[in-house]
């Protein structure tokens, strides 16, 4: 499943990480950048730990920490994939 995460990441943080890796096959002008800075371990925000830096965060992300949700063929701890 590692190949699935690398080729088609589902979580916004995973997409940012994969987008920051230079390609050996395609030249790009600029790599993807994840805005903000990593929090100190004693200052992790409530809800999803990535919510302060996530461009797709919404209210639920800021208050509830997601469990792993099915994203086919992998899983992601992200409320974007909650069917409810």
């Amino acid at each position: 499943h590692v190949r699935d995460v690398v080729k088609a990441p589902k979580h916004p943080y995973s997409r940012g990480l994969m987008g920051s890796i230079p390609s050996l096959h395609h030249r790009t002008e600029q790599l993807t950048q994840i805005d903000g800075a990593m929090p100190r371990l004693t200052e992790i925000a409530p809800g999803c730990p990535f919510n302060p830096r996530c461009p797709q965060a919404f209210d639920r992300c800021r208050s509830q920490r997601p469990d792993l949700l099915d994203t086919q063929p992998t899983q992601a701890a992200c409320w974007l994939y909650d069917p409810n």
Side-chain angles (χ1 to χ4, degrees), residues 11 16 19 21 27-28 33 56-57 64 76-78:
H11 193 282
I21 300 171
R27 182 173 171 84
T28 58
Q33 179 175 315
Q56 295 179 282
Q64 298 177 19
C78 183

Side-chain angles (χ1 to χ4, degrees), residues 4-66:
D4 294 325
V5 173
V6 171
K7 289 188 176 258
K10 302 293 184 175
H11 193 282
Y13 185 72
S14 299
R15 285 195 295 265
L17 288 177
M18 294 302 107
S20 69
I21 300 171
S23 171
L24 296 174
H25 308 290
H26 301 86
R27 182 173 171 84
T28 58
E29 294 297 318
Q30 186 172 355
L31 297 174
T32 301
Q33 179 175 315
I34 298 173
D35 290 334
M38 289 186 60
R40 294 181 178 174
L41 291 177
T42 58
E43 298 174 4
I44 294 178
C48 174
F50 184 57
N51 84 70
R53 302 173 64 197
C54 182
Q56 295 179 282
F58 52 98
D59 288 342
R60 189 174 186 188
C61 303
R62 294 177 187 92
S63 62
Q64 298 177 19
R65 185 178 215 135

